[in-house]
Amino acid sequence: MLVTSPFLFPVPSLGQIRHSRTSTVISIRLLSSSPVSSMEDDQRKRVVVCGGGVIGVCTAYFLAKKGAAVTLLEQSSVACAASGKAGGFLALDWCDGGPLSALARASFNLHRSLAQDLDGPQSYGYRLLTAVSLSITESQTPHHRQNHSPTLPNWVDGPARNPRIIGTTETTAQVHPQLFTRTLLSKALEDGGVEVLIAKLESVEVEGGEATAVVVEGGRRIGADAVVLALGPWSGKLSILSSIFRVYGLKAHSIVLEPKEAGAISPHALFLSYRAAQGGEAMDPEVYPRPTGEVYICGMSAQVEVPDDPEQVVGNPESIAVLKRVAETVSSHLGEGEAVVKAEQACFLPCTDDSVPVIGEVPGVKGCYMATGHSCWGILNGPATGAAVAELVLDGRASIVDLSPFSPARFIGGRKRWM
């Protein structure tokens, strides 16, 4: 059973909600003093952003900042999938040496500036932290001892070996992903005149090779000057994208614990090489203490079919049980009786065949853009992706980062373009 974790940070209001028979709309009227409100609606570029996860919300936020009239379309609820159930780990240089390097560095720095603008430490748990790698082998009879390694935090009292610092407060940080996404949207609603429509996307309307509208379940048509598809692992269910490339979902599990002695848990993210007592291959679970007093633990991933509805995603009991054993082995503070289980959950990470995100204009369809395939780095790379897509849509090119490595055109190679 999926349990929603309560938060110590207040979840921002998403504005006034209007209900209709087929959809829900969230909007906020702009004050006359807003710089955007001085622009006539017919002078503002109308952009429909499809997908209410971190990529879609960041895109809507930066589009609105640049003066666009934005409708954010989401099937279920904002940050209901991976953007609400991820770890929220941020790293400046962990993608160095690959195609994600510039995107990750730009986004890490954007996270820092957004945290200053939006009071990130208070609003969504932004903080710098230390990252540590270590090896642990599970024992048939769990026992804990005082650890004497200066590299390990005191609360890690399990059978840890080979601890090594792999990230410092200069290079690694964290956010609470759901609160980050919702805070950003709340700010976009307040300042930018964004409208949120809760409805299922059916199709993108294309006329003369140009995107002109989206159609939602029930047949409602929403006209647009541009459309952005930020559908995560659900991108593969839309023919305009699946005709070009494959995006699949990697199902990852997680639990959220609330230890009795929350104050004893220091801001150290743990990256484990973990072996079960029964033997077998090593697993790679991760442990993220949060400033809420909770501890997030994730791992146990597998490629499986993505369901149509994000609300249908639930965790496998066996995978959840393994994560609970990991928690108890790592620290006596996280064992049964010492910590309350606040959430048992799963989400799908959007992946591509070449492990590189797909960001850019859909080949053969002017005015239709995509942004997906960020895998485990979606929260980190959300801000720079959103800022770059906003520039691409409104200015014709991205200046914050070179998007050419992420172009969907790389998949064409003889495959039929959308007509």
Side-chain angles (χ1 to χ4, degrees):
M1 177 175 162
L2 183 64
V3 182
T4 302
S5 173
F7 307 106
L8 301 183
F9 294 97
V11 176
S13 168
L14 295 183
Q16 300 170 337
I17 302 177
R18 293 189 279 113
H19 298 275
S20 68
R21 191 165 62 88
T22 59
S23 60
T24 301
V25 176
I26 307 172
S27 62
I28 290 183
R29 289 187 178 274
L30 291 169
L31 300 175
S32 59
S33 59
S34 168
V36 177
S37 66
S38 63
M39 303 170 64
E40 294 295 333
D41 284 345
D42 58 4
Q43 293 178 326
R44 301 169 64 195
K45 191 160 187 174
R46 299 171 304 155
V47 185
V48 178
V49 178
C50 304
V54 67
I55 304 298
V57 167
C58 285
T59 302
Y61 174 84
F62 286 105
L63 280 167
K65 283 194 73 172
K66 290 175 69 67
V70 183
T71 298
L72 182 71
L73 179 64
E74 164 57 39
Q75 174 180 338
S76 183
S77 59
V78 172
C80 67
S83 297
K85 300 181 177 71
F89 180 73
L90 313 176
L92 172 69
D93 54 5
W94 286 25
C95 298
D96 281 4
L100 288 174
S101 176
L103 182 70
R105 283 180 168 270
S107 215
F108 185 87
N109 291 327
L110 259 181
H111 267 292
R112 184 180 301 159
S113 60
L114 285 169
Q116 294 172 348
D117 295 342
L118 303 175
D119 191 16
Q122 193 62 38
S123 298
Y124 51 82
Y126 175 88
R127 70 174 175 182
L128 306 175
L129 46 68
T130 300
V132 180
S133 71
L134 61 146
S135 300
I136 285 188
T137 299
E138 185 180 298
S139 171
Q140 293 282 5
T141 54
H143 63 280
H144 296 88
R145 63 180 185 275
Q146 185 71 33
N147 86 71
H148 299 289
S149 169
T151 303
L152 284 174
N154 290 333
W155 55 274
V156 178
D157 53 8
R161 296 178 291 108
N162 307 319
R164 182 168 62 93
I165 293 177
I166 55 176
T168 69
T169 52
E170 296 294 320
T171 61
T172 49
Q174 70 179 145
V175 297
H176 189 299
Q178 186 182 69
L179 294 183
F180 169 72
T181 304
R182 292 184 174 181
T183 297
L184 209 62
L185 180 56
S186 182
K187 183 64 173 174
L189 287 166
E190 178 185 345
D191 292 349
V194 173
E195 183 177 69
V196 179
L197 175 64
I198 303 299
K200 183 179 180 180
L201 173 68
E202 289 289 343
S203 63
V204 178
E205 206 170 85
V206 180
E207 296 179 8
E210 186 170 349
T212 57
V214 300
V215 179
V216 302
E217 193 172 46
R220 178 178 173 184
R221 178 184 183 276
I222 305 168
D225 300 310
V227 175
V228 179
L229 302 171
L231 301 170
W234 285 271
S235 300
K237 297 183 180 294
L238 200 64
S239 60
I240 196 172
L241 299 185
S242 62
S243 63
I244 301 170
F245 73 105
R246 184 176 82 107
V247 60
Y248 62 92
L250 192 66
K251 187 176 183 180
H253 292 77
S254 59
I255 59 175
V256 180
L257 305 176
E258 186 175 70
K260 290 180 180 178
E261 296 184 58
I265 311 297
S266 59
H268 288 75
L270 307 181
F271 293 80
L272 310 178
S273 175
Y274 187 92
R275 291 189 180 275
Q278 299 81 5
E281 292 186 6
M283 299 176 285
D284 302 303
E286 299 167 8
V287 181
Y288 304 124
R290 288 173 169 168
T292 55
E294 298 169 337
V295 177
Y296 171 98
I297 303 171
C298 65
M300 307 302 295
S301 60
Q303 183 180 336
V304 298
E305 182 67 23
V306 178
D308 289 336
D309 187 349
E311 302 295 346
Q312 296 173 350
V313 180
V314 295
N316 301 325
E318 297 85 359
S319 298
I320 296 298
V322 170
L323 292 179
K324 290 179 179 178
R325 291 204 307 273
V326 169
E328 186 170 26
T329 304
V330 167
S331 174
S332 58
H333 294 278
L334 305 180
E336 185 176 357
E338 295 301 318
V340 176
V341 179
K342 305 301 291 289
E344 301 175 357
Q345 57 197 14
C347 63
F348 282 87
L349 307 178
C351 304
T352 63
D353 288 333
D354 62 3
S355 302
V356 176
V358 188
I359 309 168
E361 192 168 34
V362 176
V365 187
K366 185 175 175 58
C368 185
Y369 306 84
M370 69 175 83
T372 188
H374 291 72
S375 186
C376 62
W377 292 116
I379 304 300
L380 167 63
N381 289 319
T385 298
V389 172
E391 291 179 330
L392 185 62
V393 171
L394 299 180
D395 304 332
R397 62 178 296 273
S399 63
I400 187 171
V401 67
D402 177 15
L403 290 181
S404 59
F406 314 111
S407 172
R410 71 186 190 267
F411 293 106
I412 294 295
R415 300 184 72 173
K416 187 177 178 181
R417 291 191 180 206
W418 178 266
M419 301 299 291

